[in-house]
C-alpha cells in the first residue's frame, strides 16, 4: 500500500498550458487567502458553531460571525471574510456557511494534520511475507510513515503516510490494528472507482513484479489504483479482490478466518500457504484464477479485465 508511488502517466501530448496556468493562479489565490490568523479564526468559528449545534452547513449572520471572531472593526472583519467567500465560505441570503473546502480546512486543523506524528520502535507482527514467505514481520511508525517490513528478506511490504490524529491516544498495538482497518476502508472505495483521498475517479490495473518465489505464486502481481485527479496511488496484492468475494468470505468464515477483521499482512499468510494458488494468465487483457482449498472444501474464482470476480464452475462430467 503506497499512495505516493509515482505510477501514473498522463496525456503528455495534450496542450493544456493556458488552462493549467489559470487553475494554478486560482489555487495560489485560494491558498493565499488562508495566510491570516483572522481568516482562520472565521473558518474555525463557523466550524465550532456547527459542532456545538450539530448542524451541517450551519449559516451564521454577519453579526453573529463578527461577534465570534476577535477583529477590531467591522470593516476589517468584512475584508477578511470577503477573502474567504467563494473557495472556503459560501454567502447566502441567510448568512455564511462553510463550503466543502472550508470544512476540510477546519477538520485538518482540528485533527492536528500540521503537527508531527509520534513514532514508535519496531513491533513484531503476525503474518507472512509475500516476497519470501517467512513469518518474520515487523511494523514501525517513524518519520510520519507506517511501514510493514520482513526482517528475513529486508523487504518493505506496506508503506503509507500516517497522520497524527490516527496515532494520537493509541498504543503501538492499537496503531497497527487501526492501520489494518484503514486499508480495508480504502479498498472498499477503490473497488467502486472512488479515490480515497479526493473522491475522484481512479484507473485500475494489474502490475507484474518479477523475482517472487513464494508458494502459490503469491506476491508476483499487484492490483493498482491511480486517481485521475490527485494522482493518489495504491498497490494491493492481486489476491485482495478475490478474497472478498462472498463465496470466499463464507468459506473462510467456516474455517475460522474473517477477512474484514484480519489485517492485510495476516492474509499474506493465507496467500503464501498451500491452501491458496494464484494464476495470472494474462495482464492485458486481465485473466487471473485463484484457487482456495481448505480441508477439502475448494473454490475457484476468476478475475477479468473489468475487475469483476466470478466463481468458476467445473463442467459436469459426461
Amino acid at each position: 500500500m503506497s499512495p505516493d508511488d509515482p505510477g501514473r502517466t498522463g496525456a503528455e501530448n495534450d496542450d493544456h498550458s493556458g488552462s493549467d496556468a489559470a487553475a494554478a493562479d486560482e489555487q495560489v489565490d485560494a491558498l493565499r487567502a488562508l495566510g491570516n490568523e483572522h481568516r482562520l479564526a472565521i473558518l474555525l468559528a463557523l466550524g465550532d458553531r456547527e459542532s456545538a449545534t450539530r448542524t451541517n452547513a450551519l449559516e451564521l449572520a454577519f453579526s453573529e460571525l463578527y461577534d465570534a471572531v476577535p477583529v477590531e472593526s467591522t470593516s476589517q472583519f468584512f475584508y477578511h471574510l470577503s477573502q474567504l467567500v467563494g473557495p472556503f465560505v459560501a454567502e447566502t441570503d441567510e448568512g455564511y456557511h462553510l463550503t466543502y473546502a472550508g470544512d476540510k480546512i477546519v477538520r485538518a486543523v482540528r485533527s492536528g494534520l500540521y503537527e508531527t506524528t509520534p513514532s514508535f520502535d519496531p513491533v513484531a507482527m503476525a503474518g507472512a511475507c509475500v516476497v519470501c514467505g517467512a513469518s518474520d514481520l515487523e511494523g514501525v511508525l517513524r518519520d510520519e510513515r507506517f511501514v510493514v517490513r520482513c526482517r528475513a528478506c529486508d523487504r518493505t511490504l506496506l508503506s503509507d503516510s500516517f497522520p497524527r490524529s490516527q496515532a494520537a491516544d493509541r498504543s503501538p498495538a492499537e496503531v497497527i490494528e487501526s492501520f489494518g482497518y484503514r486499508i480495508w476502508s480504502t479498498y472498499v472505495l477503490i473497488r467502486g472507482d472512488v479515490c480515497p483521498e479526493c473522491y475522484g475517479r481512479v484507473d485500475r490495473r494489474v502490475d507484474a513484479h518479477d523475482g517472487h518465489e513464494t508458494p502459490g505464486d503469491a506476491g508476483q502481481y499487484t492490483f493498482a489504483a491511480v486517481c485521475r485527479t490527485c494522482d493518489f496511488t495504491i498497490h494491493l496484492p492481486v489476491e485482495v479482490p478475490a478474497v472478498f468475494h462472498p463465496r470466499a468470505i463464507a468459506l473462510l468464515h467456516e474455517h475460522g478466518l474473517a477477512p474484514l477483521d484480519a489485517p492485510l499482512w495476516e492474509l499474506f499468510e493465507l496467500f503464501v500457504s498451500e491452501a491458496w494458488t494464484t494464476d495470472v494468465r494474462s495482464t492485458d487483457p486481465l485473466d487471473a484464477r485463484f484457487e482456495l482449498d481448505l480441508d477439502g472444501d475448494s473454490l475457484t474464482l476468476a478475475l477479468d479485465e473489468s475487475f469483476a470476480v466470478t466463481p468458476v464452475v467445473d463442467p459436469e462430467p459426461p
Side-chain angles (χ1 to χ4, degrees):
M1 180 179 184
S2 180
D4 57 357
D5 185 357
R8 179 178 181 267
T9 58
E12 292 87 349
N13 295 328
D14 292 343
D15 183 8
H16 299 297
S17 56
S19 60
D20 288 346
D25 289 342
E26 291 182 8
Q27 293 163 0
V28 169
D29 290 342
L31 293 175
R32 185 183 292 121
L34 297 173
N36 180 281
E37 60 180 316
H38 296 310
R39 297 169 199 169
L40 183 57
I42 291 172
L43 295 180
L44 291 174
L46 285 168
D48 288 344
R49 191 64 63 86
E50 280 192 7
S51 179
T53 61
R54 299 182 180 181
T55 304
N56 291 329
L58 175 71
E59 294 186 338
L60 290 183
F62 181 90
S63 59
E64 293 179 286
L65 192 52
Y66 173 70
D67 289 340
V69 178
V71 179
E72 294 180 359
S73 66
T74 56
S75 60
Q76 186 183 34
F77 175 78
F78 179 78
Y79 170 74
H80 290 303
L81 178 59
S82 67
Q83 300 303 301
L84 295 171
V85 170
F88 304 110
V89 174
E91 181 180 10
T92 71
D93 293 339
E94 303 298 323
Y96 301 87
H97 67 84
L98 292 172
T99 63
Y100 176 81
D103 183 70
K104 293 290 283 186
I105 293 297
V106 169
R107 294 182 186 279
V109 172
R110 284 176 176 165
S111 68
L113 182 65
Y114 306 106
E115 301 176 32
T116 302
T117 301
S119 301
F120 60 74
D121 292 330
V123 175
M125 300 168 59
C129 177
V130 289
V131 178
C132 72
S135 298
D136 193 11
L137 306 186
E138 67 177 15
V140 61
L141 179 58
R142 187 175 297 155
D143 299 326
E144 301 198 350
R145 294 195 71 82
F146 181 79
V147 176
V148 178
R149 61 183 296 273
C150 175
R151 289 181 289 203
C153 66
D154 198 29
R155 294 289 293 270
T156 295
L157 306 180
L158 298 170
S159 176
D160 200 357
S161 56
F162 209 86
R164 178 184 180 279
S165 55
Q166 189 171 358
D169 300 322
R170 285 189 171 103
S171 66
E174 290 170 333
V175 165
I176 292 171
E177 181 182 24
S178 73
F179 187 65
Y181 283 106
R182 177 174 147 188
I183 293 175
W184 295 146
S185 70
T186 296
Y187 173 67
V188 168
L189 288 171
I190 64 175
R191 70 180 292 179
D193 292 335
V194 178
C195 172
E197 191 69 24
C198 75
Y199 308 116
R201 293 190 66 89
V202 298
D203 294 315
R204 296 176 294 177
R205 66 173 189 258
V206 168
D207 292 338
H209 305 276
D210 297 330
H212 294 194
E213 298 180 356
T214 51
D217 291 335
Q220 291 191 11
Y221 297 88
T222 54
F223 168 78
V226 185
C227 179
R228 301 178 187 178
T229 304
C230 72
D231 283 332
F232 179 98
T233 302
I234 182 171
H235 290 267
L236 295 170
V238 72
E239 292 86 358
V240 167
V243 83
F244 282 107
H245 186 276
R247 292 275 298 275
I249 290 176
L251 179 56
L252 290 169
H253 265 287
E254 291 175 5
H255 292 268
L257 178 62
L260 277 176
D261 292 325
L264 177 57
W265 45 89
E266 291 187 15
L267 289 182
F268 287 167
E269 194 162 18
L270 170 66
F271 298 153
V272 300
S273 71
E274 294 182 356
W276 185 284
T277 302
T278 298
D279 179 16
V280 178
R281 304 174 179 184
S282 169
T283 58
D284 188 18
L286 179 60
D287 180 12
R289 295 288 189 276
F290 308 96
E291 294 184 9
L292 177 60
D293 191 326
L294 296 171
D295 298 329
D297 294 329
S298 61
L299 173 67
T300 301
L301 298 169
L303 179 67
D304 63 25
E305 57 185 346
S306 70
F307 295 94
V309 179
T310 55
V312 176
V313 180
D314 292 331
E316 295 183 2

